[in-house]
Amino acid sequence: DGMLLAALLLSHCALASAEYAIVNMIRHGERFSDKSNIHLAPAGFQRAEYIAKCVSNATFTMAFPLGPPDRLVASVRPPNAHGEDESVRPLETLTPLSRALSLPVENTLRYTNVDGFVDRLQKLAAGETMCVAWQHSFLDAFVRRLGLEGLAPASWPRSCNYTGPWAEPDYAMDVTEGNCYDLIWQLLLFREGPAHRWRSAAFSQMHMGFRGAGDGPCVEAFSPGSAPGMWGRAVPIAAAADSTPRHALSPAPVVFRWVAGWVVGLGGAAMALIAVARRGCKTMAWRSGKTVRMVNEA
């Protein structure tokens, strides 16, 4: 029993040192089928306003479970020798959100610079969320580069129309690339501590729920209160005695509470050892739904 308890305590300390961050990747808003028009189409501008409205909201959503993003990144596509036109669509997609959050858009990476994007991710602080607007044809390369091959689609889908009362306009259909604009690819990044590099721990694909109007209701992954931590089941034990909001709990203390409940039958001495371990370990907490800080529970 003593060996088992020691193993559980060590596992708790290992979990407590872990750090997490979130990256949400989206395709720029709708464009015209004629690529020589470097700007968003009307539906694209409306989508940008919808993103700003729903993402700048202070509530916790499935897409932004820690609240609004801390970093905004948009790709750059300058004119080149191959005849490709400049594109400002990714920047235009995030501009309304940038205004709403008073947060600048990092608009310096070429859309082909996969390694540069991965290096940019390494600058994320623990607990931060980055929102990225890019040319969709490169998003699958980012995912593969981050080690998620096999967990994520091999390429960005051609079609992903939201099933609500709206469909993509005809002008947004490209015969070779399709018209999928509503998806969010979410990466959960993990590292053992600040000295380690971020790596992918999980992948999710979800809908924004855009219905054609910038002032439309925030639904699907943008629905207020849709973050898993708001479901009311994040803490399986001792929730009533803890002053930390359910949505503010990290995996480490959640796992620890579950373990503590499981070994309660070992008696008061075992629980005393657990209490000592909790005071000695630094645990990670999602404070105010935004930033991960290392806090000492002593």
Side-chain angles (χ1 to χ4, degrees), residues 246-273:
R246 285 175 183 266
H247 69 264
L249 290 171
S250 73
V254 169
V255 171
F256 186 82
R257 287 175 175 78
W258 181 84
V259 169
W262 181 75
V263 300
V264 69
L266 295 179
M271 297 309 294
L273 284 174

mmCIF file of all heavy atoms in Angstrom, residues 246-273:
data_model
loop_
_atom_site.group_PDB
_atom_site.id
_atom_site.type_symbol
_atom_site.label_atom_id
_atom_site.label_comp_id
_atom_site.label_asym_id
_atom_site.label_seq_id
_atom_site.Cartn_x
_atom_site.Cartn_y
_atom_site.Cartn_z
ATOM 1 N N ARG A 246 -15.103 25.681 -11.045
ATOM 2 C CA ARG A 246 -14.895 24.442 -11.782
ATOM 3 C C ARG A 246 -14.113 24.672 -13.067
ATOM 4 O O ARG A 246 -13.236 23.905 -13.424
ATOM 5 C CB ARG A 246 -16.260 23.809 -12.140
ATOM 6 C CG ARG A 246 -16.949 23.152 -10.965
ATOM 7 C CD ARG A 246 -18.336 22.661 -11.384
ATOM 8 N NE ARG A 246 -19.045 22.081 -10.234
ATOM 9 C CZ ARG A 246 -19.046 20.803 -9.944
ATOM 10 N NH1 ARG A 246 -18.369 19.974 -10.687
ATOM 11 N NH2 ARG A 246 -19.719 20.340 -8.914
ATOM 12 N N HIS A 247 -14.444 25.766 -13.784
ATOM 13 C CA HIS A 247 -13.769 25.990 -15.058
ATOM 14 C C HIS A 247 -12.319 26.379 -14.865
ATOM 15 O O HIS A 247 -11.553 26.409 -15.815
ATOM 16 C CB HIS A 247 -14.499 27.082 -15.852
ATOM 17 C CG HIS A 247 -14.375 28.440 -15.261
ATOM 18 N ND1 HIS A 247 -15.342 28.978 -14.441
ATOM 19 C CD2 HIS A 247 -13.398 29.374 -15.360
ATOM 20 C CE1 HIS A 247 -14.975 30.179 -14.067
ATOM 21 N NE2 HIS A 247 -13.790 30.446 -14.608
ATOM 22 N N ALA A 248 -11.925 26.700 -13.631
ATOM 23 C CA ALA A 248 -10.569 27.185 -13.394
ATOM 24 C C ALA A 248 -9.622 26.093 -12.957
ATOM 25 O O ALA A 248 -8.495 26.360 -12.584
ATOM 26 C CB ALA A 248 -10.593 28.284 -12.326
ATOM 27 N N LEU A 249 -10.065 24.833 -13.007
ATOM 28 C CA LEU A 249 -9.230 23.746 -12.519
ATOM 29 C C LEU A 249 -8.423 23.116 -13.642
ATOM 30 O O LEU A 249 -8.915 22.897 -14.734
ATOM 31 C CB LEU A 249 -10.098 22.673 -11.860
ATOM 32 C CG LEU A 249 -10.734 23.096 -10.525
ATOM 33 C CD1 LEU A 249 -11.727 22.043 -10.083
ATOM 34 C CD2 LEU A 249 -9.681 23.304 -9.460
ATOM 35 N N SER A 250 -7.167 22.818 -13.358
ATOM 36 C CA SER A 250 -6.308 22.152 -14.320
ATOM 37 C C SER A 250 -6.379 20.653 -14.111
ATOM 38 O O SER A 250 -6.898 20.171 -13.109
ATOM 39 C CB SER A 250 -4.865 22.614 -14.118
ATOM 40 O OG SER A 250 -4.355 22.039 -12.940
ATOM 41 N N PRO A 251 -5.824 19.844 -15.062
ATOM 42 C CA PRO A 251 -5.842 18.399 -14.898
ATOM 43 C C PRO A 251 -5.162 17.925 -13.632
ATOM 44 O O PRO A 251 -5.579 16.934 -13.043
ATOM 45 C CB PRO A 251 -5.097 17.909 -16.151
ATOM 46 C CG PRO A 251 -5.284 18.986 -17.147
ATOM 47 C CD PRO A 251 -5.290 20.262 -16.348
ATOM 48 N N ALA A 252 -4.110 18.587 -13.180
ATOM 49 C CA ALA A 252 -3.367 18.084 -12.027
ATOM 50 C C ALA A 252 -4.212 17.994 -10.762
ATOM 51 O O ALA A 252 -4.340 16.921 -10.174
ATOM 52 C CB ALA A 252 -2.121 18.936 -11.800
ATOM 53 N N PRO A 253 -4.840 19.103 -10.296
ATOM 54 C CA PRO A 253 -5.651 18.979 -9.102
ATOM 55 C C PRO A 253 -6.880 18.116 -9.289
ATOM 56 O O PRO A 253 -7.335 17.467 -8.360
ATOM 57 C CB PRO A 253 -6.031 20.428 -8.764
ATOM 58 C CG PRO A 253 -5.714 21.229 -9.959
ATOM 59 C CD PRO A 253 -4.660 20.493 -10.712
ATOM 60 N N VAL A 254 -7.450 18.080 -10.510
ATOM 61 C CA VAL A 254 -8.599 17.222 -10.762
ATOM 62 C C VAL A 254 -8.218 15.761 -10.564
ATOM 63 O O VAL A 254 -8.894 15.009 -9.877
ATOM 64 C CB VAL A 254 -9.149 17.448 -12.179
ATOM 65 C CG1 VAL A 254 -10.162 16.392 -12.529
ATOM 66 C CG2 VAL A 254 -9.779 18.836 -12.277
ATOM 67 N N VAL A 255 -7.111 15.359 -11.192
ATOM 68 C CA VAL A 255 -6.643 13.982 -11.026
ATOM 69 C C VAL A 255 -6.334 13.695 -9.574
ATOM 70 O O VAL A 255 -6.653 12.634 -9.046
ATOM 71 C CB VAL A 255 -5.395 13.734 -11.902
ATOM 72 C CG1 VAL A 255 -4.766 12.384 -11.568
ATOM 73 C CG2 VAL A 255 -5.770 13.797 -13.377
ATOM 74 N N PHE A 256 -5.723 14.662 -8.902
ATOM 75 C CA PHE A 256 -5.353 14.445 -7.516
ATOM 76 C C PHE A 256 -6.580 14.222 -6.650
ATOM 77 O O PHE A 256 -6.593 13.355 -5.790
ATOM 78 C CB PHE A 256 -4.554 15.633 -6.989
ATOM 79 C CG PHE A 256 -4.028 15.396 -5.601
ATOM 80 C CD1 PHE A 256 -2.859 14.674 -5.419
ATOM 81 C CD2 PHE A 256 -4.719 15.850 -4.503
ATOM 82 C CE1 PHE A 256 -2.380 14.435 -4.151
ATOM 83 C CE2 PHE A 256 -4.248 15.614 -3.237
ATOM 84 C CZ PHE A 256 -3.080 14.907 -3.051
ATOM 85 N N ARG A 257 -7.648 15.012 -6.877
ATOM 86 C CA ARG A 257 -8.850 14.829 -6.079
ATOM 87 C C ARG A 257 -9.449 13.448 -6.310
ATOM 88 O O ARG A 257 -9.975 12.818 -5.402
ATOM 89 C CB ARG A 257 -9.859 15.938 -6.406
ATOM 90 C CG ARG A 257 -9.450 17.288 -5.827
ATOM 91 C CD ARG A 257 -10.397 18.383 -6.274
ATOM 92 N NE ARG A 257 -10.081 19.651 -5.646
ATOM 93 C CZ ARG A 257 -9.096 20.441 -6.029
ATOM 94 N NH1 ARG A 257 -8.328 20.092 -7.040
ATOM 95 N NH2 ARG A 257 -8.859 21.579 -5.411
ATOM 96 N N TRP A 258 -9.405 12.981 -7.559
ATOM 97 C CA TRP A 258 -9.914 11.643 -7.858
ATOM 98 C C TRP A 258 -9.096 10.587 -7.132
ATOM 99 O O TRP A 258 -9.634 9.664 -6.536
ATOM 100 C CB TRP A 258 -9.859 11.415 -9.372
ATOM 101 C CG TRP A 258 -10.384 10.072 -9.777
ATOM 102 C CD1 TRP A 258 -11.688 9.717 -9.985
ATOM 103 C CD2 TRP A 258 -9.610 8.904 -10.019
ATOM 104 N NE1 TRP A 258 -11.760 8.404 -10.340
ATOM 105 C CE2 TRP A 258 -10.504 7.873 -10.374
ATOM 106 C CE3 TRP A 258 -8.246 8.620 -9.976
ATOM 107 C CZ2 TRP A 258 -10.086 6.596 -10.680
ATOM 108 C CZ3 TRP A 258 -7.821 7.348 -10.281
ATOM 109 C CH2 TRP A 258 -8.724 6.353 -10.634
ATOM 110 N N VAL A 259 -7.764 10.734 -7.167
ATOM 111 C CA VAL A 259 -6.895 9.794 -6.476
ATOM 112 C C VAL A 259 -7.135 9.840 -4.970
ATOM 113 O O VAL A 259 -7.210 8.826 -4.294
ATOM 114 C CB VAL A 259 -5.409 10.098 -6.786
ATOM 115 C CG1 VAL A 259 -4.489 9.298 -5.874
ATOM 116 C CG2 VAL A 259 -5.114 9.783 -8.241
ATOM 117 N N ALA A 260 -7.293 11.051 -4.431
ATOM 118 C CA ALA A 260 -7.510 11.190 -2.996
ATOM 119 C C ALA A 260 -8.783 10.472 -2.562
ATOM 120 O O ALA A 260 -8.813 9.811 -1.518
ATOM 121 C CB ALA A 260 -7.581 12.667 -2.629
ATOM 122 N N GLY A 261 -9.833 10.591 -3.362
ATOM 123 C CA GLY A 261 -11.065 9.902 -3.032
ATOM 124 C C GLY A 261 -10.910 8.391 -3.096
ATOM 125 O O GLY A 261 -11.478 7.655 -2.298
ATOM 126 N N TRP A 262 -10.111 7.923 -4.054
ATOM 127 C CA TRP A 262 -9.936 6.481 -4.241
ATOM 128 C C TRP A 262 -9.179 5.840 -3.085
ATOM 129 O O TRP A 262 -9.433 4.715 -2.692
ATOM 130 C CB TRP A 262 -9.201 6.243 -5.561
ATOM 131 C CG TRP A 262 -8.985 4.791 -5.864
ATOM 132 C CD1 TRP A 262 -9.894 3.879 -6.295
ATOM 133 C CD2 TRP A 262 -7.745 4.093 -5.762
ATOM 134 N NE1 TRP A 262 -9.300 2.657 -6.458
ATOM 135 C CE2 TRP A 262 -7.976 2.762 -6.145
ATOM 136 C CE3 TRP A 262 -6.453 4.473 -5.376
ATOM 137 C CZ2 TRP A 262 -6.980 1.801 -6.163
ATOM 138 C CZ3 TRP A 262 -5.463 3.518 -5.394
ATOM 139 C CH2 TRP A 262 -5.727 2.200 -5.786
ATOM 140 N N VAL A 263 -8.201 6.577 -2.508
ATOM 141 C CA VAL A 263 -7.379 5.989 -1.451
ATOM 142 C C VAL A 263 -7.861 6.376 -0.060
ATOM 143 O O VAL A 263 -7.183 6.119 0.933
ATOM 144 C CB VAL A 263 -5.893 6.413 -1.588
ATOM 145 C CG1 VAL A 263 -5.344 5.972 -2.910
ATOM 146 C CG2 VAL A 263 -5.728 7.920 -1.398
ATOM 147 N N VAL A 264 -9.056 6.960 0.054
ATOM 148 C CA VAL A 264 -9.521 7.389 1.356
ATOM 149 C C VAL A 264 -9.625 6.235 2.333
ATOM 150 O O VAL A 264 -9.471 6.382 3.531
ATOM 151 C CB VAL A 264 -10.868 8.138 1.222
ATOM 152 C CG1 VAL A 264 -11.972 7.165 0.818
ATOM 153 C CG2 VAL A 264 -11.228 8.851 2.528
ATOM 154 N N GLY A 265 -9.865 5.035 1.788
ATOM 155 C CA GLY A 265 -9.973 3.867 2.635
ATOM 156 C C GLY A 265 -8.670 3.488 3.310
ATOM 157 O O GLY A 265 -8.652 2.656 4.228
ATOM 158 N N LEU A 266 -7.555 4.070 2.906
ATOM 159 C CA LEU A 266 -6.278 3.744 3.528
ATOM 160 C C LEU A 266 -6.136 4.381 4.904
ATOM 161 O O LEU A 266 -5.189 4.086 5.634
ATOM 162 C CB LEU A 266 -5.130 4.203 2.629
ATOM 163 C CG LEU A 266 -5.015 3.488 1.282
ATOM 164 C CD1 LEU A 266 -3.847 4.068 0.508
ATOM 165 C CD2 LEU A 266 -4.843 1.992 1.460
ATOM 166 N N GLY A 267 -7.074 5.279 5.253
ATOM 167 C CA GLY A 267 -7.064 5.812 6.610
ATOM 168 C C GLY A 267 -6.478 7.200 6.709
ATOM 169 O O GLY A 267 -5.976 7.775 5.752
ATOM 170 N N GLY A 268 -6.531 7.738 7.941
ATOM 171 C CA GLY A 268 -6.105 9.107 8.190
ATOM 172 C C GLY A 268 -4.648 9.345 7.893
ATOM 173 O O GLY A 268 -4.263 10.413 7.430
ATOM 174 N N ALA A 269 -3.793 8.366 8.131
ATOM 175 C CA ALA A 269 -2.364 8.547 7.890
ATOM 176 C C ALA A 269 -2.092 8.775 6.412
ATOM 177 O O ALA A 269 -1.291 9.630 6.031
ATOM 178 C CB ALA A 269 -1.591 7.325 8.386
ATOM 179 N N ALA A 270 -2.782 7.994 5.568
ATOM 180 C CA ALA A 270 -2.603 8.145 4.130
ATOM 181 C C ALA A 270 -3.042 9.524 3.675
ATOM 182 O O ALA A 270 -2.376 10.196 2.884
ATOM 183 C CB ALA A 270 -3.393 7.067 3.377
ATOM 184 N N MET A 271 -4.187 9.982 4.189
ATOM 185 C CA MET A 271 -4.674 11.300 3.796
ATOM 186 C C MET A 271 -3.750 12.399 4.290
ATOM 187 O O MET A 271 -3.577 13.424 3.633
ATOM 188 C CB MET A 271 -6.096 11.511 4.333
ATOM 189 C CG MET A 271 -7.115 10.525 3.765
ATOM 190 S SD MET A 271 -7.084 10.428 1.958
ATOM 191 C CE MET A 271 -7.630 12.060 1.541
ATOM 192 N N ALA A 272 -3.137 12.199 5.444
ATOM 193 C CA ALA A 272 -2.181 13.182 5.941
ATOM 194 C C ALA A 272 -0.983 13.285 5.017
ATOM 195 O O ALA A 272 -0.482 14.375 4.728
ATOM 196 C CB ALA A 272 -1.731 12.809 7.348
ATOM 197 N N LEU A 273 -0.501 12.110 4.507
ATOM 198 C CA LEU A 273 0.614 12.113 3.577
ATOM 199 C C LEU A 273 0.243 12.844 2.295
ATOM 200 O O LEU A 273 1.049 13.583 1.727
ATOM 201 C CB LEU A 273 1.025 10.676 3.253
ATOM 202 C CG LEU A 273 1.817 9.937 4.344
ATOM 203 C CD1 LEU A 273 2.014 8.488 3.936
ATOM 204 C CD2 LEU A 273 3.157 10.612 4.593
#
